[in-house]
Amino acid sequence: MASPAVDSTVGTTIAFGTTSFSAQVTAIDWTGVERPSLNTSHFGTTAVQSGDWNNATFVLGKIVDGGEITLTLHYNPDTAPPFGAVPETITITTKSGATLVFSGGLVGGGVSMPLDGIMEQTVVIKVCGPVTRTAAS
């Protein structure tokens, strides 16, 4: 079995399809991807025995929440992120050419202005539908 591909993030880009928002991105953190577990326990489920644990039963849901992506940016007071925009097509492309394409919109963020440091901004994108993955060519 081949080893998994390892790629540097230098050269990774993110493109906003409708608003054309752009910034100097320093980090991309994708969290919260989640498939629900649905409790199927009922009045007839066998009670836990002494020394045992976890007698609840579950099935996995079929709908996966795409989570949220937090971008860390160099703060530019002359550029406003598109917080009022409707969800748009967003494409993340790695240096090797692999892509992640999805619909998403900004749902949160903030600004950090440390004493004698780099001003940073975070923006949080909610993934609003399927994510299409394309392998590097």
Side-chain angles (χ1 to χ4, degrees):
M1 185 168 158
S3 296
V6 176
D7 199 1
S8 168
T9 56
V10 173
T12 296
T13 61
I14 184 163
F16 290 72
T18 304
T19 62
S20 300
F21 173 70
S22 67
Q24 295 177 338
V25 178
T26 61
I28 300 172
D29 295 303
W30 196 324
T31 60
V33 177
E34 189 171 275
R35 180 179 179 189
S37 59
L38 308 171
N39 190 330
T40 58
S41 302
H42 52 85
F43 291 141
T45 300
T46 304
V48 69
Q49 302 299 313
S50 177
D52 292 340
W53 53 280
N54 192 26
N55 61 318
T57 58
F58 295 87
V59 297
L60 295 179
K62 297 191 184 323
I63 298 174
V64 177
D65 180 340
E68 294 181 340
I69 300 165
T70 300
L71 303 179
T72 303
L73 322 166
H74 286 165
Y75 175 61
N76 179 349
D78 298 328
T79 303
F83 281 107
V86 297
E88 61 185 302
T89 300
I90 299 172
T91 304
I92 299 173
T93 305
T94 66
K95 177 181 70 173
S96 64
T99 62
L100 298 161
V101 181
F102 56 92
S103 176
L106 300 186
V107 296
V111 175
S112 174
M113 297 180 182
L115 177 65
D116 197 25
I118 301 292
M119 293 188 297
E120 291 185 326
Q121 181 169 27
T122 57
V123 294
V124 180
I125 302 166
K126 177 61 187 162
V127 177
C128 296
V131 177
T132 302
R133 300 168 53 125
T134 305
S137 49

Coordinates of all heavy atoms in Angstrom, one line a residue, residues 1 38 44 52-53 65 79 85 96 100 118 121 128 134-136:
M1 N 0.8 -1.2 0.0 CA 0.0 0.0 0.0 C 0.9 1.2 0.0 O 1.8 1.3 0.7 CB -0.9 0.0 1.2 CG -1.9 1.1 1.3 SD -3.1 0.7 2.6 CE -3.7 2.3 2.9
L38 N -27.9 8.2 15.7 CA -29.3 8.2 16.1 C -29.6 7.1 17.1 O -29.4 5.9 16.8 CB -30.2 8.1 14.9 CG -29.8 9.1 13.7 CD1 -30.6 8.7 12.5 CD2 -30.1 10.5 14.2
G44 N -37.8 -1.8 25.4 CA -37.4 -3.2 25.4 C -35.9 -3.4 25.4 O -35.5 -4.6 25.4
D52 N -21.0 -4.2 33.3 CA -21.1 -3.9 31.9 C -21.4 -2.4 31.7 O -21.7 -1.7 32.7 CB -22.2 -4.6 31.2 CG -21.9 -6.1 31.1 OD1 -20.7 -6.5 31.2 OD2 -22.9 -6.9 30.9
W53 N -21.2 -1.9 30.5 CA -21.6 -0.5 30.3 C -22.0 -0.4 28.8 O -21.7 -1.2 28.0 CB -20.5 0.4 30.6 CG -19.1 0.1 30.0 CD1 -18.2 -0.8 30.4 CD2 -18.6 0.7 28.9 NE1 -17.1 -0.9 29.6 CE2 -17.3 0.1 28.6 CE3 -19.0 1.7 28.0 CZ2 -16.5 0.4 27.6 CZ3 -18.1 2.0 26.9 CH2 -16.9 1.4 26.8
D65 N -22.9 16.8 8.2 CA -22.7 18.2 8.3 C -21.3 18.5 7.9 O -20.3 18.0 8.4 CB -22.9 18.6 9.8 CG -22.8 20.1 10.0 OD1 -22.1 20.8 9.2 OD2 -23.3 20.6 11.1
T79 N -10.2 46.2 3.5 CA -11.0 45.1 2.9 C -12.0 44.4 3.8 O -11.6 44.0 4.9 CB -10.0 44.0 2.4 OG1 -9.0 44.6 1.5 CG2 -10.7 42.9 1.7
A85 N -23.2 38.4 2.3 CA -23.4 37.7 1.0 C -24.1 36.4 1.3 O -24.0 35.7 2.3 CB -22.0 37.4 0.3
S96 N -0.3 21.2 -4.9 CA -0.2 20.0 -5.8 C -1.4 19.9 -6.8 O -1.4 19.1 -7.7 CB -0.1 18.7 -5.0 OG -1.3 18.5 -4.3
L100 N -10.9 21.2 -3.2 CA -12.1 21.0 -2.4 C -13.1 22.1 -2.8 O -12.7 23.3 -2.7 CB -11.8 21.1 -0.9 CG -10.9 20.1 -0.3 CD1 -10.3 20.5 1.0 CD2 -11.6 18.7 -0.2
I118 N 1.6 41.4 14.5 CA 0.9 41.4 13.3 C -0.6 41.4 13.6 O -1.1 40.5 14.4 CB 1.2 40.1 12.5 CG1 2.7 40.0 12.2 CG2 0.4 40.0 11.2 CD1 3.2 41.1 11.2
Q121 N -7.0 38.7 11.3 CA -8.5 38.6 11.3 C -8.8 37.1 11.1 O -8.1 36.4 10.4 CB -9.0 39.4 10.1 CG -10.5 39.4 10.0 CD -11.0 40.4 9.1 OE1 -10.3 40.8 8.1 NE2 -12.2 40.9 9.3
C128 N -22.2 24.7 3.3 CA -23.7 24.7 3.1 C -24.1 23.6 2.2 O -25.3 23.6 1.7 CB -24.2 26.0 2.6 SG -23.9 27.4 3.7
T134 N -11.3 16.7 -5.5 CA -10.6 16.3 -6.7 C -9.1 16.0 -6.3 O -8.5 16.9 -5.8 CB -10.7 17.3 -7.8 OG1 -12.0 17.6 -8.1 CG2 -10.0 16.8 -9.1
A135 N -8.6 14.9 -6.7 CA -7.2 14.5 -6.3 C -6.3 15.4 -7.2 O -6.6 15.8 -8.3 CB -7.0 13.1 -6.5
A136 N -5.0 15.5 -6.7 CA -4.0 16.2 -7.4 C -3.7 15.4 -8.7 O -3.8 14.2 -8.7 CB -2.7 16.3 -6.6

